[in-house]
């Protein structure tokens, strides 16, 4: 089970840090990812990180502004979001899948958190 938290309302240019805590199993063998879905739009890939934290991929829209990380000892993944823009407003989901390097396709993930709302005002 994954539990995402850390969302909120922030002004453009501000920052938020999302957390994704896993329970019931260790995340050490799992790739983790973040996705988002804005109203009326499809869910889109944001970032993914492999088991060791060495291999990371970002969507072009967040590259240079967002940072994905993980702490396997705490069974937690993170998404640091800086320089937020109104277009980043969405429901953010964390996800996990066993093994494999990195994964950008939502359909390949096995486990999903419930989502945390991020709203960026202009």
């Amino acid at each position: 089970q994954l539990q995402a938290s850390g969302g909120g309302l922030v002004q453009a240019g501000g920052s938020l840090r999302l957390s994704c805590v896993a329970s019931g199993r260790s995340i050490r063998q799992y790739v983790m990812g973040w996705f988002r879905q804005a109203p009326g739009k499809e869910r889109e890939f944001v970032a993914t990180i492999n088991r060791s934290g060495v291999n990371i991929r970002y969507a072009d829209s967040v590259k240079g502004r967002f940072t994905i990380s993980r702490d396997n000892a705490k069974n937690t993944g993170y998404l640091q979001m800086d320089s937020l823009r109104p277009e980043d407003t969405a429901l953010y989901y964390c996800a996990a899948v066993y093994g494999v390097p990195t994964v950008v396709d939502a359909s390949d993930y096995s486990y999903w958190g419930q989502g945390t709302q991020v709203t960026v005002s202009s």
Side-chain angles (χ1 to χ4, degrees):
Q1 184 177 1
L2 300 176
Q3 181 76 32
S5 62
L9 174 64
V10 64
Q11 289 187 333
S15 298
L16 284 173
R17 189 193 195 201
L18 305 183
S19 298
C20 178
V21 180
S23 60
R25 65 185 73 211
S26 171
I27 65 168
R28 293 181 183 274
Q29 299 302 320
Y30 289 78
V31 170
M32 298 190 75
W34 289 93
F35 292 78
R36 66 187 182 186
Q37 187 166 18
K41 295 187 177 181
E42 294 186 353
R43 187 172 300 189
E44 65 172 354
F45 165 75
V46 175
T48 180
I49 185 168
N50 77 327
R51 294 175 294 182
S52 66
V54 173
N55 293 324
I56 290 173
R57 297 176 67 179
Y58 295 100
D60 289 342
S61 58
V62 307
K63 202 171 294 183
R65 300 187 298 120
F66 290 12
T67 304
I68 189 172
S69 62
R70 63 191 295 159
D71 186 336
N72 289 338
K74 294 183 178 180
N75 234 27
T76 302
Y78 304 98
L79 185 68
Q80 176 67 40
M81 306 186 295
D82 299 315
S83 302
L84 283 161
R85 304 167 180 169
E87 54 264 38
D88 294 319
T89 295
L91 190 60
Y92 282 72
Y93 298 89
C94 62
V97 60
Y98 184 84
V100 299
T102 52
V103 181
V104 300
D105 192 333
S107 64
D108 290 329
Y109 280 86
S110 304
Y111 304 97
W112 290 85
Q114 85 290 359
T116 183
Q117 179 67 40
V118 172
T119 303
V120 184
S121 63
S122 58

